[in-house]
Amino acid sequence: QVQLVESGGGLVQAGGSLTLSCAASGSIFSINAMGWYRQAPGKQRELVARITREGNIKYIAYGDSVKGRCTISRDNAKNTVYLQMSSLKSEDTAVYYCGAGYGQTIDYWGQGTQVTVSS
């Protein structure tokens, strides 16, 4: 089992910045993908950013709606993944979930953290 705990959500004005953190614990040795997803009311959960490790190669993918405004990073020593967001818009308002998986799918989810962008 893997436990994921998100932090850093909150209320921010449009144009502002926010950094989310996700600390992983448990059986994380074989986890090769960690990322951030978000879900707004009435919408499906969508990819924000994801880091996948295959051997010594690291792949990073961003959702189209956040490209150029978000940066995902991972601190392996702390088992933590970060999401830096800037130039936030009202449409970025959502619950942000941290996810982790062994392959192409997400096998574990955090409880989510609310991000609200006021215009």
Side-chain angles (χ1 to χ4, degrees), residues 38-44 90-95 114-115:
R38 69 186 183 186
Q39 188 166 17
K43 295 187 177 181
Q44 289 188 330
S90 57
E91 49 263 46
D92 293 318
T93 295
V95 178
Q114 177 71 46
V115 172

Side-chain angles (χ1 to χ4, degrees), residues 23-81:
S25 62
S27 303
I28 60 175
F29 180 78
S30 297
I31 291 292
N32 73 329
M34 289 189 70
W36 290 94
Y37 296 75
R38 69 186 183 186
Q39 188 166 17
K43 295 187 177 181
Q44 289 188 330
R45 192 170 296 190
E46 64 173 357
L47 170 71
V48 179
R50 175 185 172 120
I51 292 180
T52 303
R53 183 184 68 239
E54 295 183 10
N56 293 324
I57 301 175
K58 182 175 64 177
Y59 299 93
I60 294 179
Y62 293 98
D64 289 340
S65 59
V66 301
K67 282 181 180 177
R69 300 189 297 118
C70 287
T71 302
I72 188 171
S73 60
R74 182 172 177 174
D75 185 333
N76 290 322
K78 296 182 178 180
N79 296 322
T80 299
V81 64

Side-chain angles (χ1 to χ4, degrees), residues 7-30:
S7 61
L11 176 65
V12 62
Q13 288 188 333
S17 302
L18 204 62
T19 297
L20 305 181
S21 302
C22 172
S25 62
S27 303
I28 60 175
F29 180 78
S30 297

